[in-house]
Amino acid sequence: MNEVVETLRKIEQNYKLFQQQQFSFVRALEHTREEAHDLIRPVSSITQVQCYKDHHCYNATDRRILNMFISICNDLRNLCHKLETVHPGDSVSNSLLEKCKVLLNDSNDFTAIRATYPHGVVNYLSLEEAKHRYGGVVSLIPIVIDSMTEWITYMKRHVLYKVSQGRALPKKETPISQTASAACPAAPTSVSNKHTVQLQEKDFQTYLAENQRPQQKAPWRPPGKH
């Protein structure tokens, strides 16, 4: 999970750099669409952007920014597959992943999607650009990143809940045999102490018997004279 979080953080950093150059991205799309004589239909898929870059891009700056968009989409797609292997998930997490997979499909039509607050990418476009040309393509990456962030947040809570539930389970009772065995080491000490006391008492009695002075007899007196 930590690896997934770190990967998404790096993608977000790359996207911030890309977002700062949104004007250059839109101009690159304008230039390549003109070269392709394709100014009527909106930019509606990753494949379309790839086609503009590969066949109708003759400017190094345009090629760089289009490459940046495609690279971020590829990184998100790879991360999406990695998320599937981190945890089996449930209906909620799987739904979020499925949404990301659909959006990142090369041929998926993202014309109708729009990134909303706190993202201001659509607000940077003119009304015509936002409504008929680039509203979907500039919204793709922030929407996918939000969904992946939501997936990670949900899975972290889910895992923490399971851990807390596991800790709340009652502890197993200690078997009586284990309790008895745990108390056994103290028994020999008690028996030993008792035996030592008995020996000491016996030795003392023996000492008294051996060292007791014999009773002194009364002095001898001649018979008849008392």
Side-chain angles (χ1 to χ4, degrees):
M1 179 64 79
N2 291 337
E3 182 182 353
V4 169
V5 173
E6 180 62 21
T7 301
L8 182 59
R9 187 185 66 82
K10 291 179 179 178
I11 294 175
E12 288 176 326
Q13 289 177 342
N14 291 335
Y15 173 65
K16 287 179 181 179
L17 295 176
F18 174 80
Q19 187 180 4
Q20 293 169 3
Q21 305 173 66
Q22 179 171 307
F23 179 80
S24 298
F25 178 61
V26 170
R27 296 290 77 82
L29 290 173
E30 286 281 359
H31 297 158
T32 52
R33 290 172 77 234
E34 288 175 1
E35 291 290 340
H37 305 288
D38 190 19
L39 294 173
I40 297 177
R41 62 174 180 156
V43 180
S44 59
S45 68
I46 298 174
T47 298
Q48 193 175 346
V49 177
Q50 182 78 51
C51 181
Y52 290 155
K53 181 187 77 71
D54 292 342
H55 304 291
H56 307 286
C57 186
Y58 306 104
N59 182 297
T61 301
D62 292 349
R63 182 178 297 276
R64 179 188 60 79
I65 196 67
L66 294 179
N67 259 332
M68 195 171 185
F69 171 82
I70 294 170
S71 177
I72 293 174
C73 290
N74 288 336
D75 290 343
L76 287 170
R77 190 182 294 114
N78 293 334
L79 179 57
C80 189
H81 292 308
K82 185 179 292 186
L83 293 182
E84 290 182 299
T85 63
V86 173
H87 289 288
D90 54 21
S91 59
V92 176
S93 60
N94 291 336
S95 176
L96 290 169
L97 276 185
E98 188 61 29
K99 176 183 177 181
C100 295
K101 288 163 64 177
V102 170
L103 288 172
L104 293 168
N105 187 289
D106 286 337
S107 58
N108 176 64
D109 187 345
F110 48 60
T111 307
I113 67 173
R114 293 292 183 274
T116 56
Y117 179 84
H119 304 290
V121 289
V122 178
N123 298 334
Y124 300 148
L125 303 173
S126 68
L127 182 60
E128 178 65 20
E129 289 173 339
K131 189 174 182 180
H132 299 295
R133 301 181 207 171
Y134 311 122
V137 70
V138 300
S139 299
L140 175 64
I141 294 176
I143 288 177
V144 172
I145 288 178
D146 282 353
S147 296
M148 288 189 174
T149 302
E150 187 177 352
W151 184 94
I152 291 174
T153 302
Y154 174 81
M155 290 306 297
K156 281 184 175 180
R157 289 176 179 172
H158 190 63
V159 170
L160 287 175
Y161 175 76
K162 282 189 172 182
V163 171
S164 63
Q165 286 294 98
R167 289 176 178 174
L169 292 175
K171 294 183 180 179
K172 294 183 179 180
E173 294 183 359
T174 306
I176 297 176
S177 60
Q178 292 184 9
T179 305
S181 62
C184 284
T189 303
S190 178
V191 172
S192 177
N193 291 339
K194 183 177 180 181
H195 184 63
T196 301
V197 171
Q198 290 177 343
L199 287 176
Q200 289 176 348
E201 291 179 353
K202 183 178 180 181
D203 292 343
F204 181 70
Q205 294 297 331
T206 303
Y207 173 81
L208 289 179
E210 293 177 350
N211 293 278
Q212 186 175 13
R213 295 180 179 180
Q215 294 181 356
Q216 294 183 356
K217 296 180 180 180
W220 179 82
R221 295 179 181 179
K225 293 181 178 182
H226 293 289

